[in-house]
Amino acid sequence: MKRNMLGRTGIEVSELSFGASPLGGVYGAFAEQRGIDAVHTALDLGVTFFDVSPYYGATLAETVLGKALHGIDRSRYVLATKVGRYGDRDFDFTAERVKRSVHESLRRLGTDHLDLVQCHDIEFGDLDQIIHETVPALRALEATGLVRAVGVTGYPLAALGHVAEKVPVDAVLSYCQYTLQDQRLATWRDRFAESGAAVINAAPLAMGALTSHGPAPWHPAPTPVLEHCAAAAALCRSRGADIARIALQFSVSTGGVASTVVGAADPQIVRRTVSWIAEAPDEELLHEVERCLAPVRDQGWASGRPDNQQPEAQS
Ligand code: NAD
């Protein structure tokens, strides 16, 4: 497994990272032992970077990940979690809450330090508070050694860019925006990097939309996007291929990011993903799929407060 530096942090991460939201049941019920086996399989196959949040399954994902990592040498993995989001509508980016949150995560994850702590889905918060209160609170924890690096995550790239330009952050995590269907992250990647932040691309399978089983009912994409993804999956099937394979190969091989985060709670899925990303994509199929998705290329959805969609236009 190839490794990259996480921006300027001096932390090395695997190019494929383990997304732990399925360990919170975000994609439906899962067997805990299968989830734990998935983590161990990932480690065995060279995945060293794990991304989680207290939000996933209302702390369940952190608890299961903590169980899986128990007894494993701490130098074998890099751990990223988040602060500020605790429920679908439960956000708290105050310094007091995020400090408490870090201590809670440390306990659940059974570790004495977190490699990366990210403000989770900043577009639902007050960006000025993130800049002037939340990130500084995390920097204070960094000074104590509990946290090694500080980042932000969210959907509107302009909100991430606004914060990264106003306050130094070590990492920016964007999701669903460097996939076969949506490549808007490509236009921001260099700006994030210039601000000193590592870029992390999460959800290369568009949160399940680019899989043969399709998305969960909660998927926020507009219907035409989901319909075109389903048509692309059917096209792949008709060619004897799995859309997830080419979607993963595309994002990992051309994303130009520090790491690509893929969610899994099953060891077989992890094995498949790791073996797929070692292969080059079928270029002919790739072009066919891109043509199929062209009518909905770069189409997404609104996430967060209206004034956080284009914060630069407001300031
Ligand atoms: P994803 O695009 O990685 O898709 C996950 C879905 O695809 C799951 O149903 C999984 O079972 C399935 N899948 C994974 N590998 C597969 C394979 N080889 N074949 C077939 N199906 C496969 O979406 P995600 O899990 O939501 O995102 C990845 C991770 O990124 C999350 O777990 C989380 O850690 C992070 N993330 C963070 C944010 C944020 O901070 N706001 C948002 C989205 C994702």
Side-chain angles (χ1 to χ4, degrees), residues 268-297:
Q268 258 173 324
I269 288 194
V270 174
R271 264 186 230 108
R272 220 188 309 158
T273 298
V274 172
S275 74
W276 283 348
I277 64 154
E279 305 162 352
D282 172 340
E283 290 294 333
E284 204 180 307
L285 181 61
L286 183 59
H287 289 135
E288 277 189 275
V289 170
E290 283 185 321
R291 271 198 300 277
C292 177
L293 291 170
V296 292
R297 169 85 187 251

